[in-house]
């Protein structure tokens, strides 16, 4: 039995399906393109927010010193434009800063409108993503001593180490732009061990291996901050990171240079990084460090003592089996640090899930622990830590 027009109908249906498929493909490509545009815009705005926060901190300090609103705004604009120099190359456009200073409360408010042009969006009439950024800051009157434990194990090689250097540099910018009358930072790179540099002999004695590597001490002082004059550290590792510990310093240029020189290699003796971050700000170690790097006595009303514990992997190397595994030692050290009133921030950088419970346990609270999955998230985490240390409050 023949059906008239059946073949022609089939051909028509095939043509309709092809047309629908083509339209669906175009829609899908536009959707993907818009997602890329949006992601690009959000990266720009994340960095712009950090720049606005830093500008507000600098402006708040100047306002507190009695400067006119015009001078305060001029300083804020200078910080914001300098920080965003790289972003302007992406064709992002930011309008003039809007400033409001409340000299009674000490609050400084900044806002700015931005727009980031789209690449694919114009196809569907979306030419830009607009955003209003704003921040309310209050510069802290407390001083800061910060010890930064930074992972330079072999898994940090390449892009991850570059991201760490950028995030660390941004944190230094915020801290030292805040106008604090006293800000000091110590850098503690760690991998298979910690490199005590010129202070190694003082830490472990001349008899414990002829290198600058240090390991944990066994016994009653394994998890406290008693200085080497009470019990020396061990020197069991056969290799150390290329970069030695940088004691507390207020020299941002020197700290940045040390940070930028980091090289990655070795395994992850995380508990040693935790211990030396503590030692770097502990008053008990005052006589160990050079006089200019001697930590001050604890005074919560006037001084913030804090550490940042950053890792990208599991703690997998220890030397004193009687002290427990590296993660167990780290947990004990964190507990004792916090008991002394030290604020503990933790940052997992693209770290496996197995690491995160330890980092949450070590942190001073849930909002002091960060799970950064990429370089932008790491920079955002370090920026938030810097703002917390300077008591920067975000209004929205």
């Amino acid at each position: 039995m023949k059906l008239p027009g059946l073949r022609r109908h089939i051909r028509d249906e095939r043509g309709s399906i092809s047309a629908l498929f083509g339209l669906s493909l175009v829609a899908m490509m536009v959707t993907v393109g818009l997602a890329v545009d949006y992601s690009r815009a959000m990266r720009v705005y994340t960095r712009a927010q950090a720049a606005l926060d830093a500008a507000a901190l600098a402006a708040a300090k100047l306002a507190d010193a009695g400067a006119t609103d015009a001078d305060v705004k001029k300083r804020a604009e200078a910080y914001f434009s300098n920080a965003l120099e790289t972003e302007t190359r992406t064709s992002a456009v930011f309008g003039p800063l809007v400033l409001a200073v409340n000299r009674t409360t000490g609050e400084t408010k900044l806002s700015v409108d931005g727009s980031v042009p789209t690449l694919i969006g114009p196809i569907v009439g979306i030419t830009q993503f607009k955003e209003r950024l704003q921040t309310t800051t209050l510069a802290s009157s407390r001083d800061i001593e910060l010890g930064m434990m930074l992972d330079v194990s072999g898994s940090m090689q390449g892009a991850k180490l570059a991201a760490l250097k950028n995030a660390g540099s941004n944190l230094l910018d915020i801290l030292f732009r805040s106008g604090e009358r006293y800000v000091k930072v110590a850098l503690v790179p760690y991998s298979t061990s910690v490199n005590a540099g010129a202070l190694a002999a003082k830490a472990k004695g001349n008899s414990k291996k002829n290198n600058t590597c240090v390991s944990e001490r066994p016994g009653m002082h394994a998890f406290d901050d008693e200085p080497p004059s009470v019990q020396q550290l061990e020197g069991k590792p056969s290799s150390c990171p290329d970069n030695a510990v940088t004691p507390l310093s207020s020299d941002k240029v020197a700290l940045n240079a040390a940070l930028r020189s980091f090289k990655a290699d070795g395994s992850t003796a995380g508990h040693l990084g935790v211990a030396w971050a503590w030692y770097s700000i502990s008053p008990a170690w005052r006589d160990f460090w050079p006089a200019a790097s001697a930590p001050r006595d604890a005074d919560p009303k006037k001084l913030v003592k804090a550490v940042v514990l950053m890792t990208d992997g599991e703690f997998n190397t220890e030397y004193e089996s009687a002290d427990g595994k590296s993660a167990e030692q780290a947990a004990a050290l964190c507990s004792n640090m916090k008991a002394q009133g030290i604020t503990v921030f933790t940052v997992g950088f693209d770290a496996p899930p197995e690491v995160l419970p330890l980092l949450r346990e070590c942190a001073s609270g849930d909002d002091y622990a960060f799970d950064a999955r990429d370089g932008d998230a790491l920079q955002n985490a370090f920026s938030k830590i810097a703002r917390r240390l300077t008591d920067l409050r975000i209004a929205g």
Side-chain angles (χ1 to χ4, degrees):
M1 178 178 180
K2 293 184 179 180
L3 297 176
L6 177 59
R7 292 183 180 178
R8 184 175 66 255
H9 178 69
I10 292 174
R11 285 196 299 271
D12 289 344
E13 285 293 312
R14 287 175 178 173
S16 299
I17 291 171
S18 297
L20 287 173
F21 177 76
L23 289 172
S24 299
L25 183 61
V26 170
M28 182 175 66
M29 292 175 65
V30 170
T31 301
V32 170
L34 281 173
V36 171
D37 279 339
Y38 180 77
S39 176
R40 172 174 164 271
M42 289 306 100
R43 284 197 298 271
V44 171
Y45 287 133
T46 295
R47 293 164 185 163
Q49 183 67 59
L52 191 68
D53 293 340
L57 274 171
K61 184 60 181 180
L62 194 62
D64 187 56
T68 65
D69 284 4
D71 286 339
V72 171
K73 186 174 182 181
K74 185 177 180 180
R75 171 173 284 194
E77 288 171 340
Y79 275 111
F80 186 70
S81 61
N82 287 340
L84 280 183
E85 182 180 355
T86 57
E87 298 307 336
T88 57
R89 295 173 189 158
T90 67
S91 299
V93 176
F94 293 92
L97 293 184
V98 177
L99 170 74
V101 178
N102 187 325
R103 299 182 187 278
T104 301
T105 64
E107 289 185 338
T108 299
K109 296 183 179 181
L110 280 179
S111 63
V112 65
D113 292 326
S115 65
V116 178
T118 59
L119 300 177
I120 304 299
I123 295 175
V124 290
I126 301 174
T127 59
Q128 59 188 336
F129 286 112
K130 295 183 177 181
E131 187 77 16
R132 169 163 289 183
L133 306 178
Q134 54 190 2
T135 184
T136 301
T137 70
L138 179 64
S140 172
S141 60
R142 293 192 296 172
D143 300 331
I144 297 170
E145 287 183 350
L146 174 66
M148 297 190 68
M149 160 189 143
L150 302 173
D151 192 339
V152 291
S153 60
S155 57
M156 285 291 296
Q157 289 182 356
K160 294 181 78 171
L161 187 62
L164 172 61
K165 293 176 181 180
N166 290 335
S169 181
N170 184 61
L171 178 145
L172 293 175
D173 282 344
I174 294 174
L175 287 183
F176 287 102
R177 283 177 181 174
S178 69
E180 297 292 336
R181 53 190 172 89
Y182 177 98
V183 175
K184 287 192 174 182
V185 178
L187 304 179
V188 182
Y190 74 98
S191 59
T192 306
S193 64
V194 167
N195 185 343
L199 296 170
K202 193 174 181 180
K204 63 181 182 175
N206 290 314
S207 61
K208 298 173 181 175
K209 284 192 178 289
N210 188 26
N211 59 35
T212 56
C213 306
V214 292
S215 54
E216 69 270 22
R217 50 193 173 192
M220 63 184 299
H221 297 303
F223 309 124
D224 64 29
D225 63 336
E226 288 293 338
S229 59
V230 174
Q231 182 184 354
Q232 291 182 331
L233 282 84
E234 295 298 316
K236 295 185 177 181
S238 58
S239 66
C240 344
D242 285 339
N243 303 94
V245 172
T246 300
L248 282 175
S249 173
S250 58
D251 187 338
K252 189 184 81 166
V253 174
L255 287 166
N256 218 355
L259 177 67
R260 293 290 179 183
S261 71
F262 281 3
K263 298 178 181 178
D265 192 24
S267 56
T268 311
H271 65 293
L272 292 178
V274 174
W276 279 81
W278 184 6
Y279 301 158
S280 72
I281 63 170
S282 169
W285 280 60
R286 180 182 292 116
D287 294 335
F288 175 82
W289 301 110
S293 301
R296 281 170 35 182
D297 287 335
D299 186 352
K301 292 183 178 180
K302 296 181 179 179
L303 176 66
V304 178
K305 281 185 178 282
V307 296
V308 174
L309 310 179
M310 173 265 160
T311 184
D312 82 326
E314 293 187 75
F315 295 174
N316 56 23
T317 303
E318 62 281 328
Y319 299 92
E320 302 295 337
S321 58
D323 290 348
K325 295 294 186 181
S326 179
E328 296 169 340
Q329 295 189 47
L333 288 161
C334 287
S335 178
N336 291 338
M337 260 197 294
K338 289 186 290 186
Q340 287 192 4
I342 293 172
T343 300
V344 180
F345 298 94
T346 62
V347 183
F349 180 25
D350 192 26
E354 295 79 11
V355 180
L356 302 182
L358 171 62
L359 296 182
R360 287 193 292 269
E361 179 183 352
C362 270
S364 290
D366 289 344
D367 57 345
Y368 290 76
F370 297 87
D371 179 16
R373 306 316 303 175
D374 57 29
D376 286 338
L378 181 68
Q379 178 155 305
N380 188 44
F382 275 25
S383 295
K384 286 182 177 178
I385 291 170
R387 295 198 297 268
R388 182 76 61 84
L389 289 171
T390 54
D391 282 350
L392 177 66
R393 290 170 173 80
I394 306 299

